[in-house]
Every structure is written in structure tokens, then in C-alpha cells.
Amino acid sequence: MFLLLIGISGTLSGQEISGNVTDDSGALPGVSVVIKGTTTGTSTDFDGNYSIDANIGDTLVFSYVGYDTQQVEVTGNIINVVLKSGVALDEVVLIGSRNPSRSVVDSPVPVDVINVAELTSAGPQVNLNQILNFVAPSFTSNTQTISDGTDHIDPASLRGLGPDQVLVLINGKRRHNSSLVNVNGTFGRGSVGTDLNAIPSGAIKRLEVLRDGAAAQYGSDAIAGVINIVLNDNVNELTLNMTTGAHFSENSNNQTGGVDGETVNISANYGLSLGDKGGYINFTGDFDYREHYSRMKEWEGDVFNLYNTVERFASNDGYSLANLLDDNVDDVIQYGNQAGLGLSPTATKAELQAILGDDNTAAELTARGLERSDFNMRVGQSEVRGGRFFANMSIPLDEDGTELYSFAGMSSRKGNSAGFYRLPNQSRTYTPAYINGFLPEINSTISDKSFAVGIKGIVNGWNIDLSNTYGKNGFLYTIGNTFNASRQNASPTTFDAGGFNFAQNTVNLDINQFYDDVLSGLNVAFGAEYRLENYEIVAGEEASYGQYTQEGELITLPTQSPSVDFFGNGRPGGSQVFPGFSPANELSRDRSSIAGYFDLEADFSETFLASFATRFENYSDFGSTINFKLATRLKASENLNLRAALNTGFRAPSLHQLNFNSTSTIFQDGIPVEVGTFSNDSRAAKLLGIPQLKEETSRSISLGFTANMPDANVTVTVDGYWVGIDDRVVYTGQFRGPGTGTELDNLLSQANASAASFFANAIDTESKGIDAVVTWDFVVANKAKLKNTFSATLSKTKKVGDIKASRVLEDAGLVDTYFPEDSRIYLEEAVPRTKMNLTNNLSSGNWNVFLRNVWFGEVSEATANVDNQQVFGSKLVTDLSFGYKASESLTLTVGANNLLDVYPDRAIEANRSGGRFDWSRRSQQFGIGGRFLFARLSFKLK
């Protein structure tokens, strides 16, 4: 007998069932315990204990990776279970199938189940993006640098597709997107993702990653797959984790070595029982702080010209530098000759401009007592301080399975990043205010809140689930240590630049019933969804976006000219590094969608399963779509399953992509360009023949198998896939007007921009690859348990067919601007196409050793210059940690991420931008922080 049933029998119902789960060598933590035919469940704690509220006659399903699943009928209130090694991946999951009892190994599509508690206790990562980046090979996310708001919200990818092509659910309910659209130079440019870091990792019981298209099941965005976050439901247990760490790297502190990028994370989780029918409420709160770090050594380009030398002598004399800018050049000649420049007393301003523009960096650095490193940027990690709170609740209302449930969360983060240093020899630097130039800062305030409530129960044998889920994300900018150069002396140094908000409300009705007497089992599911979305752009103060004349008047007409520097160059308007949103940008746009789906899953026999799903969806702003999915699983033998899926999908263009418009400073190969983003219904778009946005459509195929070798405790899953996407939305290159006073020139002038970009359905793409996962667990000497997982992904995404440019662009020879070469690199080669992960977790007595090696494949530099498209080679990153259980309630862990201090290849000279970027900022493998050492205290009180 595999099961030991110890308890008090009786006729009780709706009671707490508890017990202990072990194997041959002792307690088993993390075992999934689920009431069969429902999604109600829990997991065992570190000592193998569990408790769950169930009725007499219910069946409990005990499953754990590497062990045979056991089913036990509830006959009393204490059930102890002994699991034996065998079939792996038998944990019941909520995604990929609407059958409430479908396990991973039986699923017709690939699903990864990730135990977050295990990773956050042993691994160095504490935020959700980085946890997934190092544990799930098909998932990619990295901290970005010098990319405006994207410095604070990391774009993420599944199977190499875009951040907006993966759907995120919480407890099976759709999660709202971020309000930020990525328009700067990073992977995922032009996309809108989900802010996973707004969710505390301590609130998560497990992650389910569906690596297959699922738009026919879950709706828009699920082209690459679905990430479902299952929240904690523990009760009567306090879990407290305190983690601190920093980068101890040879390249810390501007490549001088030492320690930087310090982090602190404090997380607490506690649950309470509600009522006597198994209700609960679980709370999680966390706080973290992350210091910035920089990996720039020193600026190697020009800093000062001879005019700056004149300014130094004038400033030392107490003279107002603003007076040097007028047309009377006597003062310029006076101080220039004090500096020994030998200027003619009768020199005109034009003659002085030709002389004083010459470089004088070396002499000025010496005279001012400065070093080149004083003009460094912060190339690396932004500073972030934030807090998060989540709650998860369930209240059974009767003895018949009726349940009221809810979950909610809120977070607030404040970020600080810096842009390109504004040098004193540039027209965008108003030297009377900043005589040595300045480093402008972007301060972000990111707020996120969500609330879901629902009721589910059984009516005439049908499982009914009615829910409402609301979420809102806000992103506001305060630009500091900066200047509006065109406003000259009247400019402030801190600006409210405005921001944006995105809100989403989703109503779901889900109905299903499982017929165990039809065929070998038939699950019928159908339902409906109604979703409302709102996107807002909020204007900043006038000085944050305005450009001003020499007389200080706000420019509103093309005939007005901006103020100029000494050399006659027009000074750009708006707050430097991030011009604010103007009232012309301000908007509030809504849309709604309705959807209905139908889903069948049949076990035709003990060996053959097939499922079919279809979903109809109608959007108020672009029309309707209908999609299908067909999936099968064949049990070729007791230990071998074959599976395949075919589906169509779609992604509606986001409200952000439809409506975002602004002016921002984008650096192209180190050259600043004020780029206006115009919506597709703008006059600028019509002049260039750029059409209205429409939905992306997809087709995908996946084939794979799962194999078990019970005697060796080994499981293997391998899945190949192909995804074709038509009319993919991209962020275009930069279109410039001819400069002859055309309508496009005037529109750019009104937007305070010199170039225009748009969102457009410009290309078709194909993605293909193979995902593999191998697990093997065994007991070594002295009953020590060793868990091993090897996982890998090999993927490739490419543009196929011609660029879908308008006749206007074709006739003007601007097709390559519509989808430029650097955009191709961002799409195809800016994140690793090969990624492998080998994780070993050894537990023996009170000790735990965690070792992980991750192989990041090569990437290419995203630049439009083909000669400079450097390939960065593959790298191996090693994580190692040691944990010691000092008592029943206290565990100590110390370890390292990137133990060997590995860095990507250094950039070639042509891509270094004068010393700014020794490592690429455009194409990321695993970041440029170097070795990170951490220590963690974990308390668990019952």
C-alpha cells in the first residue's frame, strides 16, 4: 500500500483535512494537494504538512514532480500519504485545458509549473521577471538602460516573440497591461507588456507557463503563450524573507571595482482561516530598494570648446554668462583675450563663431580641475524604491461548493534613471545655468492597483464561475536636474512632464461540466467575456514641452524661431532628456470588446485525447475575429505521450499603439534627435500614406512528446513549434520633412520635433524553435535528495516577405525607414535565440545547496549600420547558494548570481559612442551588472 490513512472516521463534511506527506527519505515540501474536479488546493510546507477544507466523499489528489500521483477519498480529518518515485509532472494546472483535473503530463500542450517558494528561498532573484529569466529558457527579460521609462519596467518575451504577445493571468483571470509603451532603443520597441514586477513574489504559490498559442481559449495577446500566476492560499503560517545583496564586480563603480548596486528586499506573507468551511484570506506585503550602478568608465569625446573658455573667464570675473549671448561681442572679445586667445578687437560675431567653436577640452579640464569621468552617464541599472501588497481570499458559502472569492493588489514604485550627459559645448546645454553641463534625471512614479471578485458554484452539475476583474496602471514623470534650454534664464530645473494611465475591467462567465460516463471522459466548457479599456495621456506643465523664442514667447506658429546659442544654433524646447506631454498630446480613449468561447475536451479512450476550442471576439474600434484551436494527446505507452496542437490567434492593437503621441529625445548612434510619435489617424500619417492599425493574426503548430523513465526517476518533454504572424505592429523609423516649409515640416515644427515615427502593421514574421525539459531526482548518500532539471530552448524569429509600405513611401524611396535595419535586429537577434539551464538542488538534513548554470546564446548589436552589427558571443552564468535550517522557523541562505563575474563581449570601437557603452545597451543577454552576492534570512512561524 502506498497510502497511510490515519484519522477519525465519521460523517463530517466541510471540515479541515490535514496530514503529512513523505517519501522514502522523509518529508516532502511543495506537494500539490487538490480536490479532484475543482481548482481548490494547497501545497505542503517545508515539513510536508498540509491542511485543506474538503467534504466527506471528496477525493484529494496528491502530486509532485518525480512521484506517482495518489488519489485518496476523504473519510476522516487526518490523511497521511507516502508518495513513491515515478511519473513526473503530474501536478494539476489551471491553464492549457479547461478540464479542472488535467495534469501537466497529460496536457496536450506544453505547460511549465514553477515552484516560486523554492526559487525565492534558494535563488538570488527576488523579482518576478528575473526569476523567470533564469529558470524558464523560453522566457527573456532584462533590465534596460538609457531608455526612458523602459529603465523602470522591464520588457519580457516568451519564445522570442514580443512583450505584448504573451497573456498574463492571475488565478486564471486576465491581468491588465502596463500604461507604458516602449518607444526607445530596446527589445520590444513599439510594444506594451505587463508589469510583472508589480506582483510580489511572496504572494505567488506557483507559476504556470503555457508555451503554446491560446487565443482561441483566452483571447487577445495569447499568441506566444500564457503565464498564469497562482496566488498563495496558506493559512496560520507567517513567512518572512529578508534579502540583501550587491554587485561585487571588477567593473563596479565605473569599472574601478568594488561594490555597488546594493539591494534590499523584505517580504512577508500570512494567512487566516475564515469560517468553518475552509475559507481563507492570505496577505502578502513587500518592500524593496535598489541602488543604481554604472558601467561607464569615462567619456572620451569633446567636452569644451573655446567659447566655454571665454565663459570660464567671465564667470570667474562675476560676469553674467547670459550677457555673452547677445549681439554685442565686446564682452566676448574682452574675456577671450584675457584667456590669451588673441581675438581681434573688431571681430564680428560670425568671425568669432568660426574661431570659438574649436575644441579646447584638455586645457579646460585642467583649468577647471575636472576629469573626463565627471561627464559620465549612468549606464547600467536605475534606482528603484517600491512597495507591494496583495491579498487572496476564498469563502465557501454552503456545503454544495458555492464559493465567494476575491484577490486584490496595489503597488507603488519610484524610479530614478539618467539620460545622456548634456555637455557644455552643446546647444541643448544652457551654460549660464550649468557651466559644466549636467546629467538630466528621469524620476518615475509607477502605481498599480487591481481588484477581482467572483462567485462560483455548481448548478445542476455545471460548474459556474462569474467574476469581475479591474486593474489600472499609471506612469507619471518628474524630470529633474535638467533645463528647457530655449527658455534660457526663465527655465526651472525640475518639471512635471505628465504621464499616462491604462485601466481595464473584465467580466467573465465560465461554465463547464465533466462527464466521466461519456467516452472515457468528456469536458464541455463555454463562456463569455466583456472587457472595457481606457487609455489616458496626461499633459505636463508648459515649460516641460514648450519651445520658446529669444523673447521668451511660447512658439505656436511655424514662422516663430527658437532662441539660439552663441553659434546661432536653435535651442531645443522641453525638459531635456524627456520633453513633457503637451495639451495637444492629452487624450482619453475608450474601447470595449465582447467575446464568447466554446471548448470541448474528450478522452476517446484511455490512450487518446482530443480537444477543440473556438472563440469569437468583437472590438468596438476595429471589428471582429474568430479563432480555433485543435489539440491532441496520444498515450503511446504507459510512459510515453505524444502531443500536437494547431491553432489560429490574434492580437488587437493596444489602445496605447492606437493613440500614443508625444515628442521624445532618441539617440541614434549617439546623435540626439527629437522624434515626434504621431497616431495613425493624424495628418502626418495621412501625408505618408500610413494606414490605420488593424489586428495581428497568427497561425501556429506544435508537436512534442513527454517520456517517463520511472526506474531512473527521469522525465523528458520535447516540443517543437512554428508561429506565423501577419501584419505585425512595429514602431517605424524616423521620417524627416524636406525642410522646405511643407505641411509635414510644419507638423513637425508644431510638435517640437525634427522627425516623425508611427505604429504600423509593417511586416509578417515567422518564429520556430524547440523547447526541451529533462528532470531527474534521486536519493544519494545519507538520504540526501538531489533534484536536477535541464531545460533548453532553440528559437529563431525572422521577417518574411516584403515590407508593407504605402505607395507614397515606395515612390519616395522610404520603405527602409518604414521598417529600418535596427528594427530587424530588435526583432530577430537582440535577445538570445538559444538558452539552456541546468539546475541542481541538493538537500541533506538541515543543509541545502543550489547550483544553476544558464547558457545565454549570442545576440547582435541593433544598429542600422550593417558594418557595425557586432555579434556578441554565448556566455555561461553560474548561480550558487548554500542554505542552512538553523531551527524549525529560521533558515539562512548565502549565495551568488553570476558567481564567476561573467560579462557580455565588449563593444567594438564603432559602437562605443565615445566611451559611453563598453557593453551594448541595445541587445541584452543577461545584463551588465557582473557578480551579485546576497544573503537571506527566512522565518516561518506556525
Side-chain angles (χ1 to χ4, degrees):
M1 289 291 292
F2 294 149
L3 308 177
L4 298 176
L5 305 181
I6 304 173
I8 303 173
S9 61
T11 58
L12 297 175
S13 63
Q15 60 187 328
E16 180 179 281
I17 310 300
S18 62
N20 183 260
V21 181
T22 60
D23 67 358
D24 293 337
S25 60
L28 274 179
V31 175
S32 173
V33 185
V34 178
I35 301 174
K36 186 176 181 179
T38 75
T39 58
T40 301
T42 185
S43 59
T44 58
D45 62 18
F46 190 84
D47 298 313
N49 297 319
Y50 75 93
S51 64
I52 189 171
D53 288 286
N55 298 316
I56 295 295
D58 283 346
T59 298
L60 298 185
V61 180
F62 295 82
S63 59
Y64 190 63
V65 173
Y67 293 84
D68 287 324
T69 295
Q70 302 291 336
Q71 297 188 21
V72 185
E73 182 179 349
V74 177
T75 58
N77 61 356
I78 297 178
I79 299 176
N80 295 327
V81 174
V82 177
L83 293 183
K84 289 205 170 181
S85 298
V87 177
L89 298 177
D90 259 11
E91 186 163 12
V92 175
V93 293
L94 305 182
I95 60 170
S97 168
R98 294 190 185 274
N99 184 335
S101 299
R102 185 66 61 200
S103 65
V104 175
V105 73
D106 288 329
S107 173
V109 290
V111 179
D112 298 325
V113 178
I114 299 169
N115 185 328
V116 173
E118 181 179 300
L119 293 172
T120 54
S121 65
Q125 294 81 19
V126 292
N127 74 63
L128 192 49
N129 267 315
Q130 287 306 299
I131 288 173
L132 281 168
N133 189 43
F134 277 84
V135 75
S138 58
F139 182 92
T140 298
S141 177
N142 281 298
T143 300
Q144 306 298 316
T145 185
I146 317 297
S147 53
D148 293 347
T150 311
D151 283 9
H152 309 282
I153 296 182
D154 305 333
S157 165
L158 192 65
R159 284 185 162 177
L161 296 175
D164 49 9
Q165 289 164 336
V166 56
L167 176 63
V168 177
L169 310 175
I170 294 185
N171 284 353
K173 307 301 179 184
R174 177 182 283 263
R175 174 75 172 174
H176 60 280
N177 286 340
S178 165
S179 58
L180 175 73
V181 57
N182 303 307
V183 296
N184 221 301
T186 67
F187 168 79
R189 183 168 66 177
S191 65
V192 179
T194 301
D195 185 7
L196 293 176
N197 289 341
I199 305 164
S201 59
I204 302 172
K205 177 180 178 181
R206 68 176 186 268
L207 295 170
E208 300 171 350
V209 182
L210 169 61
R211 294 178 279 110
D212 196 57
Q217 295 168 289
Y218 302 106
S220 178
D221 303 348
I223 290 177
V226 181
I227 297 173
N228 183 42
I229 299 168
V230 181
L231 297 177
N232 265 332
D233 54 10
N234 292 339
V235 296
N236 301 322
E237 181 178 283
L238 172 65
T239 302
L240 177 64
N241 288 318
M242 294 177 287
T243 305
T244 184
H247 290 276
F248 292 73
S249 172
E250 66 173 343
N251 293 312
S252 290
N253 299 305
N254 301 311
Q255 302 184 38
T256 63
V259 182
D260 63 2
E262 295 85 352
T263 66
V264 175
N265 178 274
I266 300 174
S267 173
N269 175 270
Y270 184 67
L272 296 169
S273 297
L274 297 178
D276 56 2
K277 297 184 176 66
Y280 64 85
I281 185 166
N282 184 276
F283 301 101
T284 304
D286 85 349
F287 164 82
D288 60 12
Y289 174 70
R290 180 181 86 185
E291 280 276 12
H292 72 266
Y293 67 71
S294 178
R295 296 295 177 262
M296 179 180 174
K297 186 174 184 179
E298 65 178 17
W299 169 240
E300 298 167 3
D302 296 342
V303 179
F304 297 104
N305 54 30
L306 289 173
Y307 178 74
N308 299 134
T309 302
V310 173
E311 288 183 312
R312 174 169 58 85
F313 275 83
S315 176
N316 291 342
D317 195 38
Y319 190 73
S320 171
L321 300 188
N323 293 337
L324 297 174
L325 296 168
D326 58 28
D327 291 332
N328 184 342
V329 295
D330 290 345
D331 47 3
V332 176
I333 295 171
Q334 173 190 339
Y335 290 112
N337 286 331
Q338 285 185 19
L341 300 183
L343 302 177
S344 170
T346 61
T348 65
K349 190 168 188 177
E351 291 170 337
L352 292 174
Q353 289 170 344
I355 297 170
L356 299 180
D358 290 345
D359 178 56
N360 197 33
T361 299
E364 280 301 297
L365 288 173
T366 301
R368 300 185 188 212
L370 299 173
E371 298 179 355
R372 285 189 169 276
S373 59
D374 293 322
F375 301 89
N376 279 4
M377 301 153 47
R378 287 191 225 147
V379 180
Q381 175 177 276
S382 61
E383 176 185 308
V384 174
R385 178 189 296 267
R388 287 157 289 272
F389 177 80
F390 250 73
N392 185 32
M393 182 187 75
S394 173
I395 303 176
L397 300 179
D398 57 27
E399 308 296 339
D400 300 319
T402 307
E403 174 189 347
L404 177 69
Y405 63 89
S406 180
F407 56 89
M410 60 186 299
S411 72
S412 177
R413 303 205 305 278
K414 291 187 178 295
N416 173 273
S417 63
F420 280 74
Y421 197 100
R422 269 48 179 180
L423 299 166
N425 62 358
Q426 296 173 329
S427 63
R428 58 187 57 242
T429 303
Y430 188 69
T431 45
Y434 294 98
I435 193 169
N436 292 321
F438 60 96
L439 184 66
E441 297 180 345
I442 297 176
N443 299 286
S444 63
T445 300
I446 308 167
S447 59
D448 197 284
K449 50 189 149 184
S450 60
F451 177 75
V453 63
I455 188 169
K456 57 185 176 183
I458 302 174
V459 179
N460 294 328
W462 290 92
N463 298 304
I464 312 293
D465 186 344
L466 177 65
S467 65
N468 187 86
T469 306
Y470 171 81
K472 183 176 183 179
N473 181 272
F475 200 118
L476 299 177
Y477 292 92
T478 301
I479 312 304
N481 193 47
T482 187
F483 217 71
N484 183 329
S486 70
R487 205 174 184 194
Q488 304 183 98
N489 274 333
S491 174
T493 57
T494 301
F495 300 81
D496 173 6
F500 22 72
N501 297 293
F502 177 72
Q504 176 181 284
N505 191 82
T506 307
V507 181
N508 288 103
L509 175 63
D510 300 298
I511 302 171
N512 82 282
Q513 184 168 181
F514 181 75
Y515 297 91
D516 57 8
D517 56 351
V518 177
L519 301 172
S520 293
L522 173 68
N523 193 76
V524 179
F526 58 93
E529 178 179 287
Y530 177 65
R531 189 162 75 249
L532 290 170
E533 297 175 339
N534 174 263
Y535 176 68
E536 295 180 327
I537 297 178
V538 180
E541 61 181 287
E542 180 186 290
S544 74
Y545 61 81
Q547 188 177 30
Y548 296 84
T549 66
Q550 194 72 30
E551 293 74 29
E553 297 177 353
L554 179 67
I555 294 177
T556 57
L557 300 172
T559 55
Q560 294 176 285
S561 298
S563 59
V564 297
D565 67 0
F566 178 80
F567 298 94
N569 300 311
R571 294 192 186 273
S575 46
Q576 284 294 307
V577 80
F578 188 92
F581 296 99
S582 73
N585 302 132
E586 196 167 38
L587 53 79
S588 178
R589 296 287 186 269
D590 300 282
R591 75 173 175 195
S592 63
S593 69
I594 57 173
Y597 70 86
F598 179 70
D599 190 309
L600 288 174
E601 183 173 291
D603 288 283
F604 286 92
S605 68
E606 291 296 323
T607 60
F608 181 68
L609 172 153
S611 67
F612 171 79
T614 183
R615 184 182 181 101
F616 169 83
E617 198 145 357
N618 175 270
Y619 280 76
S620 60
D621 54 356
F622 75 83
S624 302
T625 180
I626 187 167
N627 293 281
F628 304 91
K629 180 166 186 174
L630 178 65
T632 63
R633 186 223 64 209
L634 175 66
K635 186 177 285 291
S637 70
E638 184 65 28
N639 296 312
L640 177 63
N641 288 342
L642 307 178
R643 58 192 182 191
L646 170 69
N647 68 77
T648 63
F650 83 105
R651 188 191 70 82
S654 68
L655 279 178
H656 319 53
Q657 293 169 329
L658 289 164
N659 298 288
F660 180 78
N661 66 108
S662 74
T663 299
S664 58
T665 304
I666 294 178
F667 279 74
Q668 288 286 358
D669 296 321
I671 306 301
V673 180
E674 266 66 47
V675 176
T677 300
F678 294 83
S679 62
N680 287 58
D681 59 359
S682 65
R683 178 60 183 164
K686 289 181 173 62
L687 289 174
L688 294 169
I690 295 175
Q692 295 287 307
L693 285 177
K694 58 183 178 180
E695 73 273 20
E696 300 173 347
T697 58
S698 70
R699 299 90 56 217
S700 68
I701 300 171
S702 65
L703 296 168
F705 69 87
T706 66
N708 304 306
M709 289 167 266
D711 293 339
N713 291 331
V714 174
T715 67
V716 180
T717 69
V718 178
D719 293 276
Y721 63 89
W722 175 89
V723 183
I725 303 176
D726 293 339
D727 302 314
R728 191 157 172 174
V729 177
V730 302
Y731 188 62
T732 71
Q734 299 154 18
F735 297 93
R736 298 176 182 270
T740 56
T742 65
E743 186 175 1
L744 180 59
D745 287 319
N746 292 338
L747 289 171
L748 289 171
S749 175
Q750 291 168 21
N752 191 17
S754 57
S757 289
F758 308 85
F759 294 94
N761 298 98
I763 57 170
D764 299 337
T765 66
E766 287 183 358
S767 300
K768 56 186 176 182
I770 296 175
D771 295 330
V773 180
V774 181
T775 65
W776 66 104
D777 302 340
F778 53 88
V779 177
V780 294
N782 298 320
K783 294 187 177 182
K785 289 180 289 186
L786 180 62
K787 299 180 182 179
N788 308 277
T789 301
F790 172 78
S791 52
T793 187
L794 295 88
S795 64
K796 183 177 182 179
T797 295
K798 65 177 182 178
K799 178 186 75 69
V800 294
D802 295 331
I803 299 171
K804 299 180 177 182
S806 67
R807 177 59 62 86
V808 174
L809 295 177
E810 290 177 350
D811 292 345
L814 294 174
V815 173
D816 289 339
T817 303
Y818 200 48
F819 184 69
E821 178 65 12
D822 60 338
S823 291
R824 184 192 67 79
I825 297 291
Y826 283 127
L827 174 76
E828 298 179 357
E829 302 173 26
V831 296
R833 288 166 290 177
T834 301
K835 194 171 164 190
M836 301 182 187
N837 178 315
L838 177 60
T839 300
N840 312 100
N841 201 338
L842 176 66
S843 298
S844 178
N846 292 332
W847 288 93
N848 182 80
V849 180
F850 178 86
L851 174 65
R852 177 169 58 202
N853 287 280
V854 184
W855 178 268
F856 293 90
E858 64 184 28
V859 297
S860 299
E861 180 72 8
T863 174
N865 188 328
V866 177
D867 294 335
N868 296 338
Q869 289 175 358
Q870 177 184 1
V871 176
F872 302 99
S874 302
K875 301 292 180 181
L876 181 67
V877 175
T878 301
D879 295 348
L880 177 66
S881 71
F882 298 89
Y884 178 70
K885 188 176 180 181
S887 68
E888 287 300 313
S889 58
L890 175 63
T891 301
L892 309 174
T893 305
V894 294
N897 166 234
N898 196 353
L899 176 67
L900 303 180
D901 204 20
V902 175
Y903 277 78
D905 293 342
R906 286 183 177 260
I908 60 175
E909 188 62 34
N911 293 329
R912 294 184 63 245
S913 186
R916 293 185 176 108
F917 305 113
D918 283 318
W919 296 275
S920 175
R921 77 178 178 109
R922 301 183 182 101
S923 302
Q924 295 280 334
Q925 292 166 292
F926 50 88
I928 56 172
R931 180 190 297 112
F932 180 83
L933 303 183
F934 76 98
R936 178 178 296 126
L937 287 177
S938 299
F939 293 93
K940 185 168 287 190
L941 303 176
K942 300 178 182 180

